[in-house]
Amino acid sequence: MEDRDLEARQEASSLGRVEAFSDGVMAVIITIMAFQLKPPATPDAAGMADRLPELLVYALSFAFVGIYWNNHHHLLRSAARLSAAVMWSNLLLLFWLSLIPVLTAWIANDYARNLPAAVYGIDALLAALAYFALVRALISANGRDSTLARAVARDVKGRVSMVLYVAGVVSALIIRTPWVAYALYVAVSVMWIVPDRRLAPSK
């Protein structure tokens, strides 16, 4: 019994370290994006209008990272065990998220161009795939009869998100309009504004 209790405490400590590290990385990502914001060049409506696209893409990226932070928190709190696959898939997720500040700055400078909108969508899609891999790795580590596995058995929102990201990339590259892509990316964020209640702790 004592050995099991010790193992459980060690697993909880390891999960806490992974969560704390991930929280720190996401906080740095948001901080970098905030530092990239510039004040209006002139103190009037025209100056504010010039900075509006930059502010809008910042808001989209902030929501994007914030949604991952929220759901990542609930995901790890629903788990009891770690594995090497969990840690590597978590790092892969953080890698794709860490590119968001660069892509946000790119879109802020060239928001009417197709390529920045498409690359942003590709990165968002890869982040979604990495999160999917993280979920599967956690299920494998915790067992298919675990609370976590039962909670995420049907990931409809995750699959719909990936479809919308693909549609956004296609619209930017083939239909050659970034505005449809932006609308689809915003739709994904709106869909996820409400936290994933499957992983919320029961009262």
Side-chain angles (χ1 to χ4, degrees):
M1 179 65 72
E2 290 182 0
D3 290 342
R4 287 199 296 270
D5 289 343
L6 177 60
E7 182 181 355
R9 288 196 299 271
Q10 290 174 337
E11 290 287 351
S13 176
S14 297
L15 282 163
R17 290 177 63 188
V18 171
E19 183 181 2
F21 173 76
S22 303
D23 286 351
V25 172
M26 293 186 206
V28 170
I29 290 170
I30 290 175
T31 301
I32 292 172
M33 291 192 301
F35 282 157
Q36 290 174 340
L37 291 174
K38 301 180 182 64
T42 55
D44 51 28
M48 292 180 62
D50 287 340
R51 289 286 181 256
L52 184 60
E54 181 182 10
L55 182 60
L56 291 176
V57 69
Y58 168 79
L60 173 61
S61 295
F62 185 95
F64 180 78
V65 177
I67 287 165
Y68 270 106
W69 171 78
N70 197 341
N71 286 296
H72 184 272
H73 165 79
H74 288 304
L75 182 66
L76 290 185
R77 290 298 175 94
S78 300
R81 293 182 179 275
L82 273 178
S83 68
V86 169
M87 297 183 72
W88 281 111
S89 56
N90 189 70
L91 283 173
L92 183 61
L93 171 63
L94 295 177
F95 172 76
W96 295 121
L97 292 180
S98 71
L99 298 179
I100 291 296
V102 177
L103 299 178
T104 301
W106 191 14
I107 291 180
N109 292 329
D110 297 296
Y111 60 87
R113 307 296 290 270
N114 299 317
L115 186 58
V119 175
Y120 190 97
I122 291 171
D123 185 67
L125 174 62
L126 292 172
L129 290 170
Y131 186 82
F132 178 82
L134 174 60
V135 171
R136 296 302 137 188
L138 281 166
I139 290 175
S140 178
N142 288 269
R144 297 195 175 278
D145 59 344
S146 63
T147 301
L148 172 64
R150 292 193 298 270
V152 298
R154 297 172 60 186
D155 189 15
V156 176
K157 286 170 69 174
R159 288 178 169 83
V160 170
S161 298
M162 287 187 272
V163 170
L164 292 178
Y165 284 138
V166 171
V169 173
V170 169
S171 68
L173 292 179
I174 297 179
I175 304 176
R176 303 191 66 77
T177 171
W179 308 111
V180 174
Y182 296 145
L184 292 170
Y185 304 156
V186 170
V188 174
S189 293
V190 170
M191 183 173 64
W192 283 101
I193 286 296
V194 178
D196 196 338
R197 297 186 183 279
R198 300 169 302 165
L199 298 173
S202 57
K203 296 183 179 180

